Amino acid sequence: MFTDEQYMEQALEQAALAAECGEVPVGAVLVLPDGQQFIAHNAPISTCDASAHAEIQVIRAACTAIGNYRLVGAQLFVTLEPCTMCAGAMIHARIARVVYGASELKTGAVESLYQLLSDERLNHQVALKGGVLADVCAVQIKAFFKERRRK
């Protein structure tokens, strides 16, 4: 079993791959209770699919692999605080725990702007841990956008 930091390092590697493809550098790792792992990175630009965020990509891969849309007991590690779309998918998939790196003050839907994963009005709540390798995650995404603005 890896630590939260080790899973986040894997997610950071995926985010770097996204950046190499010209995508916003966000990476995700999903771990099932049996230890099976799935990895993905952002791909909306390359796939022409607005929903192809790293979190959605990794949830789709895991659901397809197990033949079920529910990922009970799964943990998801992502380099950037999830948006509303991704948080909604996590709730519907019944993910048990989400760990993220950098906060997203403009669109973060799990702590910064909204608190969807802990909203007791919804039918499922997700345990949450933010700030894992936050500085490294933030530097990676800031560097990407700084380079884009330079061009």
Side-chain angles (χ1 to χ4, degrees):
M1 190 67 141
F2 289 23
T3 64
D4 290 349
E5 290 77 13
Q6 289 170 314
Y7 285 123
M8 191 61 70
E9 287 170 359
Q10 289 181 328
L12 281 161
E13 290 172 10
Q14 286 298 303
L17 291 174
E20 288 175 18
C21 299
E23 301 280 356
V24 175
V26 178
V29 176
L30 189 140
V31 184
L32 297 178
D34 66 4
Q36 192 174 3
Q37 293 182 37
F38 300 88
I39 58 174
H41 58 73
N42 263 6
I45 297 166
S46 60
T47 61
C48 299
D49 180 355
S51 70
H53 289 191
E55 301 95 309
I56 301 296
Q57 299 281 84
V58 79
I59 289 170
R60 285 177 179 155
C63 290
T64 299
I66 69 167
N68 192 335
Y69 77 96
R70 289 191 176 179
L71 301 171
V72 177
Q75 297 184 76
L76 194 152
F77 300 82
V78 62
T79 57
L80 186 66
E81 182 180 355
C83 70
T84 54
M85 173 184 67
C86 294
M90 293 168 194
I91 293 165
H92 287 294
R94 306 299 195 270
I95 289 174
R97 181 173 180 250
V98 171
V99 177
Y100 72 88
S103 295
E104 174 49 271
L105 301 178
K106 294 180 183 176
T107 62
V110 300
E111 283 190 310
S112 295
L113 191 57
Y114 303 109
Q115 297 80 39
L116 290 178
L117 299 185
S118 59
D119 191 328
E120 292 184 2
R121 295 172 296 177
L122 301 174
N123 64 339
H124 178 73
Q125 287 76 49
V126 179
L128 181 66
K129 180 178 180 182
V132 174
L133 300 182
D135 292 342
V136 179
C137 293
V139 164
Q140 186 182 49
I141 200 155
K142 287 177 185 176
F144 174 82
F145 284 112
K146 183 178 181 181
E147 179 63 22
R148 270 194 132 165
R149 284 189 299 275
R150 191 181 68 77
K151 291 180 180 179

